[in-house]
Amino acid sequence: LLTQKVLYLCKMYFLLVSSVLIASAVCDPVSVCRPTGERYFIADDVQCDRFHMCDEDGSLAAEFLCQDGLVYEPISKQCGLPFKIDCLSTGRTLLQEPQPTGNCQRLNGKWPVAGTCDQYIDCTSGVERLVTCQNHLVFDDKTGDCEHPDVSNRAGCTAEELYGFQCPNSVGQGRYAAESDCRAFFTCGVFTNYHPRLGGCPVNSVFNPATQACDEPENVAGCENYYSSP
């Protein structure tokens, strides 16, 4: 049993070693350590990227810092990017001083590229790379993911701003032709929060506004020669 405990602790340290730093001073944790017969981790009370280890006897044994840009997630007991880890509602609003390098505002994180909607800088341990979202998606600075513009609704990159189209109503669902391309159309509905979502018909078909479906080019006025050779 003792051997199993030692192996378990070694595994925990292996998972955490690449994203944490051991602090030199022990600060107040979020809760008082309690004797449980084994070591365990607890979140800090006010700082989201700091956490503590309690020993088998219920004493505070060590303090850790996540690597700059990461925060501590109490359930998984690992450090991760802050997009899906709630620091605000738990009152853990403080962070360590940033360690910027190059285009990285912190050693770890994601930040939009100024003047673009679909590009962002992805930093891991201070190593940066430029990422471009595909398929007309934009970078969502709230989730850290590439999303449809109607989902992100990011200022300056909203679906309305990108497409120059606004859903005509907020009741029901409809599809509307895009003036710039016979294949393209916008879907408006509850699932898009009545922001336009860009879609497209398969090759050799075009969007028919009358039926709100993809159709043969000859059935849509103005799109009969869409696929004709110039």
Side-chain angles (χ1 to χ4, degrees):
L1 180 60
L2 179 59
T3 301
Q4 290 178 341
K5 286 184 179 181
V6 172
L7 288 174
Y8 174 77
L9 287 172
C10 290
K11 180 179 179 183
M12 288 298 298
Y13 280 115
F14 176 77
L15 289 172
L16 293 166
V17 69
S18 63
S19 58
V20 302
L21 300 170
I22 300 177
S24 59
V26 176
C27 300
D28 294 333
V30 68
S31 58
V32 177
C33 292
R34 296 178 177 83
T36 62
E38 59 183 21
R39 297 184 178 186
Y40 60 96
F41 297 99
I42 55 176
D44 188 76
D45 190 19
V46 295
Q47 187 167 328
C48 205
D49 53 9
R50 186 172 65 190
F51 61 103
H52 309 263
M53 184 174 68
C54 299
D55 66 15
E56 297 88 343
D57 299 323
S59 299
L60 193 60
E63 175 190 317
F64 300 88
L65 273 179
C66 298
Q67 194 178 61
D68 180 40
L70 305 179
V71 295
Y72 181 66
E73 204 288 300
I75 297 178
S76 67
K77 302 189 184 304
Q78 296 190 47
C79 296
L81 292 174
F83 299 106
K84 297 177 176 65
I85 300 175
D86 190 1
C87 295
L88 294 179
S89 69
T90 57
R92 299 180 298 144
T93 57
L94 299 183
L95 295 171
Q96 62 186 282
E97 286 295 318
Q99 302 172 40
T101 176
N103 291 312
C104 300
Q105 298 179 27
R106 289 183 177 271
L107 294 181
N108 298 274
K110 299 178 182 181
W111 296 274
V113 175
T116 74
C117 290
D118 60 350
Q119 292 186 318
Y120 64 95
I121 299 295
D122 185 349
C123 296
T124 303
S125 299
V127 178
E128 67 178 79
R129 66 188 182 103
L130 176 65
V131 181
T132 301
C133 299
Q134 303 297 314
N135 301 319
H136 305 287
L137 302 182
V138 302
F139 176 64
D140 188 335
D141 54 2
K142 297 186 296 293
T143 67
D145 297 324
C146 293
E147 304 277 9
H148 287 287
D150 59 89
V151 174
S152 173
N153 207 31
R154 175 179 143 201
C157 298
T158 66
E160 289 81 358
E161 291 170 303
L162 292 176
Y163 304 141
F165 179 85
Q166 189 161 352
C167 292
N169 56 59
S170 58
V171 177
Q173 179 172 312
R175 289 180 171 181
Y176 307 91
E179 295 180 359
S180 60
D181 193 313
C182 285
R183 288 178 61 189
F185 59 89
F186 300 111
T187 299
C188 298
V190 174
F191 72 98
T192 70
N193 289 316
Y194 293 99
H195 299 297
R197 178 172 295 185
L198 180 64
C201 291
V203 176
N204 296 323
S205 66
V206 297
F207 181 70
N208 189 333
T211 61
Q212 295 194 16
C214 297
D215 201 347
E216 299 292 331
E218 57 266 27
N219 296 330
V220 181
C223 296
E224 299 90 344
N225 300 317
Y226 181 77
Y227 292 100
S228 298
S229 300

